[in-house]
């Protein structure tokens, strides 16, 4: 699935609406790398139905099916997340995709699309979308995505965290946004968790909502099945009134709630990995084997 100069990258908005000026910088970066961004017909559309979608369900389905299955498209990059990707799952085709597999790039609400892509046997990039977020994104958040597109897979070295359960491991990475993992539990579109390394991140959830989602994963047997757990950004959790960490990327109380919920399990854990709704958002590869070792720092390699 490695890209070469001149390859076309489809730009889609499978969930929320986006303005062109919000993605201009990222489009220019794609062009500077020698690729051609091709906007879906409804990538800059807008449709209101209790939420600002980029289009009707039919329009968003049409755009994504075009992007996934077109012979002349070499990768698919989501402009943003938000809400709406679940609408599309039953209607996506992979007939052309399996003939010409493509990297899919996105995170947040895109977690459900990445789950479905993995169920078809292909990896995807859980990384920065094209829309510039309010908290921005570190330069490496994009440059490391381009490295992956060229076939160069990342290696990371992150600080140890006091909640880590240090035990070296390797396994296939699954996961993404916790709210969407939770939303798919019990459906045919959920990840398989057996012997997998689960990654979770989230933004803007109350602390009891966080615990409710973790409880659902526990009741569904997820924590009995996984090999290890990696926790990324937990941003703006709780409210400004009850959480002095409200503007922090790695929320201490959220981490404490997670640690409390999984304390009876013996799988290794890595906290504060730089991926999620945070400035330092580094790409992960859903569906690829990840190898993690503990020492002075935590080494993570694909």
């Amino acid at each position: 699935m490695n890209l070469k100069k001149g390859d076309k990258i489809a730009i889609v908005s499978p969930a929320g609406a986006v303005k062109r000026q919000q993605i201009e910088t990222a489009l220019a970066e794609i062009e500077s790398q020698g690729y051609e961004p091709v906007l879906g017909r409804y990538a800059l559309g807008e449709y209101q139905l209790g939420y600002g979608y980029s289009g009707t369900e039919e329009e968003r389905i049409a755009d994504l099916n075009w992007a996934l299955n077109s012979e002349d498209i070499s990768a698919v990059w989501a402009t943003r997340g938000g809400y709406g990707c679940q609408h599309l799952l039953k209607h996506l085709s992979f007939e052309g995709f399996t003939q010409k597999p493509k990297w899919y790039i996105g995170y947040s609400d895109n977690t459900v699309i990445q789950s479905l892509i993995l169920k078809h046997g292909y990896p995807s990039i859980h990384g920065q979308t094209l829309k510039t977020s309010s908290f921005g994104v570190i330069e490496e958040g994009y440059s490391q995505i381009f490295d992956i597109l060229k076939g160069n897979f990342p290696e990371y070295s992150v600080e140890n965290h006091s909640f880590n359960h240090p035990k070296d491991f390797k396994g296939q990475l699954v996961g993404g946004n916790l709210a969407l993992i939770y939303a798919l539990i019990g459906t045919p579109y959920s990840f398989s968790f057996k012997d997998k390394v689960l990654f979770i991140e989230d933004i803007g959830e109350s602390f009891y909502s966080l615990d409710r989602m973790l409880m659902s994963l526990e009741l569904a047997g997820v924590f009995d099945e996984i090999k290890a757990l990696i926790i990324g950004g937990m941003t703006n959790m709780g409210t400004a009134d009850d959480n002095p960490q409200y503007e922090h990327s790695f929320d201490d109380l959220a981490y404490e709630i997670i640690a409390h919920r999984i304390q009876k399990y013996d799988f290794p854990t890595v906290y504060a990995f730089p991926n999620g709704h945070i400035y330092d958002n580094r790409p992960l590869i859903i569906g690829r084997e990840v190898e993690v070792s503990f020492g002075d720092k935590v080494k993570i390699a694909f």
Side-chain angles (χ1 to χ4, degrees), residues 1-5 7 33 35 74-75 103 123 125 143-155 285 288 302:
M1 301 197 299
N2 295 353
L3 271 65
K4 60 184 185 301
K5 299 287 186 180
D7 279 348
Q33 293 285 329
Y35 307 123
S74 298
W103 284 112
I125 300 172
S143 65
Q144 289 175 330
I145 290 174
F146 289 115
D147 286 343
I148 295 170
L149 296 181
K150 297 168 187 174
N152 302 314
F153 298 110
E155 295 184 6
I285 306 176
R288 188 172 173 89
F302 287 91

Side-chain angles (χ1 to χ4, degrees), residues 6 15 48 53 57 70 73 82 103-104 128 130-131 136 153 166 179 186 216 222 227 247 261 271 279:
Q48 289 286 337
Y53 303 103
E57 291 177 27
S70 292
I73 295 297
W103 284 112
Y104 185 93
Q128 185 63 34
L130 298 183
K131 179 185 174 184
F153 298 110
S216 288
V222 170
K227 179 178 288 188
E247 295 298 333
R261 185 54 55 205
Y271 285 78
Y279 172 66

Side-chain angles (χ1 to χ4, degrees), residues 16-272:
V18 67
K19 302 293 185 184
R20 188 176 184 100
Q21 60 265 31
Q22 295 176 303
I23 63 172
E24 286 285 9
T25 300
L27 292 177
E29 182 64 23
I30 290 172
E31 291 175 340
S32 75
Q33 293 285 329
Y35 307 123
E36 180 184 349
V38 183
L39 269 68
R41 183 176 180 182
Y42 304 103
L44 300 177
E46 188 169 354
Y47 173 73
Q48 289 286 337
L49 188 64
Y51 181 78
Y53 303 103
S54 70
T56 64
E57 291 177 27
E58 292 77 13
E59 289 168 343
R60 288 179 284 130
I61 289 163
D63 257 12
L64 195 49
N65 275 331
W66 157 74
L68 292 172
N69 296 291
S70 292
E71 174 67 27
D72 63 342
I73 295 297
S74 298
V76 184
W77 207 326
T79 63
R80 59 164 295 180
Y83 174 71
C85 290
Q86 281 178 291
H87 299 151
L88 318 182
L89 295 181
K90 282 187 174 182
H91 309 284
L92 295 182
S93 167
F94 286 84
E95 185 175 352
F97 183 93
T98 56
Q99 298 301 311
K100 183 182 178 181
K102 307 164 179 67
W103 284 112
Y104 185 93
I105 308 153
Y107 77 116
S108 190
D109 202 56
N110 291 278
T111 293
V112 299
I113 296 173
Q114 294 173 305
S115 178
L116 184 55
I117 289 172
L118 184 55
K119 290 187 83 68
H120 282 81
Y122 296 94
S124 61
I125 300 172
H126 190 270
Q128 185 63 34
T129 50
L130 298 183
K131 179 185 174 184
T132 303
S133 58
S134 60
F135 38 79
V137 60
I138 195 169
E139 181 181 343
E140 289 84 354
Y142 285 122
S143 65
Q144 289 175 330
I145 290 174
F146 289 115
D147 286 343
I148 295 170
L149 296 181
K150 297 168 187 174
N152 302 314
F153 298 110
E155 295 184 6
Y156 299 112
S157 178
V158 301
E159 297 293 333
N160 278 293
H161 191 279
S162 60
F163 285 157
N164 284 357
H165 182 183
K167 185 166 63 174
D168 296 355
F169 63 89
K170 63 180 177 180
Q172 186 184 44
L173 185 70
V174 301
N177 182 260
L178 176 59
L180 276 304
I181 298 168
Y182 159 78
L184 290 184
I185 289 291
T187 75
Y189 305 98
S190 180
F191 289 105
S192 167
F193 298 99
K194 183 65 175 176
D195 295 325
K196 302 298 193 300
V197 176
L198 177 62
F199 170 77
I200 59 173
E201 63 85 26
D202 221 319
I203 185 172
E205 297 286 350
S206 67
F207 293 126
Y208 69 80
S209 293
L210 170 63
D211 189 61
R212 178 192 291 133
M213 292 187 286
L214 295 169
M215 275 302 311
S216 288
L217 266 61
E218 179 171 6
L219 293 172
V222 170
F223 297 140
D224 292 311
E225 293 189 341
I226 62 173
K227 179 178 288 188
L229 178 65
I230 300 175
I231 303 99
M234 291 286 159
T235 313
N236 293 3
M237 307 297 279
T239 68
D241 291 335
D242 64 18
N243 182 14
Q245 297 279 340
Y246 189 70
E247 295 298 333
H248 290 198
S249 296
F250 301 116
D251 186 280
D252 290 344
L253 183 51
Y255 279 3
E256 187 176 346
I257 291 168
I258 296 168
H260 171 76
R261 185 54 55 205
I262 63 172
Q263 63 184 331
K264 64 175 125 179
Y265 300 96
D266 192 42
F267 51 73
T269 54
V270 177
Y271 285 78

